[in-house]
Amino acid sequence: MLALLHTSPVHPPVFDALRDRDHPGVELRHLVHEDLLERAVAEGPDAVAGDVAAVVERAVADGARAVLCTCSTIGAAAEASAARHGVPVLRVDRPMAAEAAARGRVVVLAALESTLAPTEALIRAEAAGRPLELRSVLVPGAWELFLAGDTDGYLDAVARAADAVTDTGVIVLAQASMAPAALRTSTAVPVLSSPRPGLRAGVAACAGR
């Protein structure tokens, strides 16, 4: 069983649909903890590290063979807890970050400011000293639309921001919730999102145990 740690209830159906399409038969268990993101935004990701580790510990006790954190803001805290629990604990955006870093010129789009620094740090780490040109853009007003439940407005705002990007090799959608916006863009620049490659990595880690 692969456990997924989410900080929004919008994510379980997205990952269930990806599982049904790409990994039929894989058991997913969704753990939704909106409070972790709320506190991480207010106090910083380090403030919730202990609680994130506790969620992972309970998931392992319940039979998880791997844990995938779908929240970019707390992903590093989740990943850091792996050594304590003896199972793979992955962040959904690492495969996306690796692909982006390989392209060398990257623009990160985020709807939530607390996502920017962790995403930038992850891409730099994946670049491993290779030449990297990295810029970040906070999409104005997008997170407010997301919180208000205006999904179309949210995705359209992200898509417009992507279409406005020029002079880069790849665009990274920093949050899993932004992924559908890639289908609404008209840019010729490749647009990367995290759910599909992240789930693929989670399923592989689960099978490898």
Side-chain angles (χ1 to χ4, degrees), residues 8-133:
S8 171
V10 306
H11 295 311
V14 172
F15 283 89
D16 281 342
L18 285 173
R19 182 271 316 275
D20 293 345
R21 176 174 175 176
D22 298 338
H23 313 282
V26 171
E27 181 185 359
L28 304 182
R29 183 168 300 171
H30 299 289
L31 312 171
V32 181
H33 292 270
E34 295 178 82
D35 59 302
L36 292 176
L37 179 58
E38 293 168 359
R39 289 178 49 212
V41 170
E43 305 171 35
D46 289 345
V48 300
D51 291 322
V52 170
V55 172
V56 172
E57 184 175 8
R58 288 194 297 272
V60 173
D62 288 340
R65 297 168 64 86
V67 180
L68 179 67
C69 178
T70 66
C71 176
S72 300
T73 297
I74 65 170
E79 204 174 48
S81 72
R84 297 174 51 180
H85 305 302
V87 304
V89 182
L90 298 83
R91 48 192 296 179
V92 74
D93 50 351
R94 185 172 286 282
M96 174 184 67
E99 181 177 351
R103 295 177 183 255
R105 298 168 66 230
V106 183
V107 170
V108 174
L109 297 184
L112 184 62
E113 187 171 7
S114 65
T115 304
L116 290 175
T119 303
E120 291 170 356
L122 182 59
I123 294 172
R124 292 188 190 282
E126 288 294 331
R130 291 172 294 177
L132 179 67
E133 179 184 310

Side-chain angles (χ1 to χ4, degrees), residues 180-208:
L183 300 176
R184 304 186 181 207
T185 64
S186 59
T187 180
V189 178
V191 179
L192 304 183
S193 60
S194 61
R196 173 163 283 163
L199 181 60
R200 185 185 306 121
V203 169
C206 195

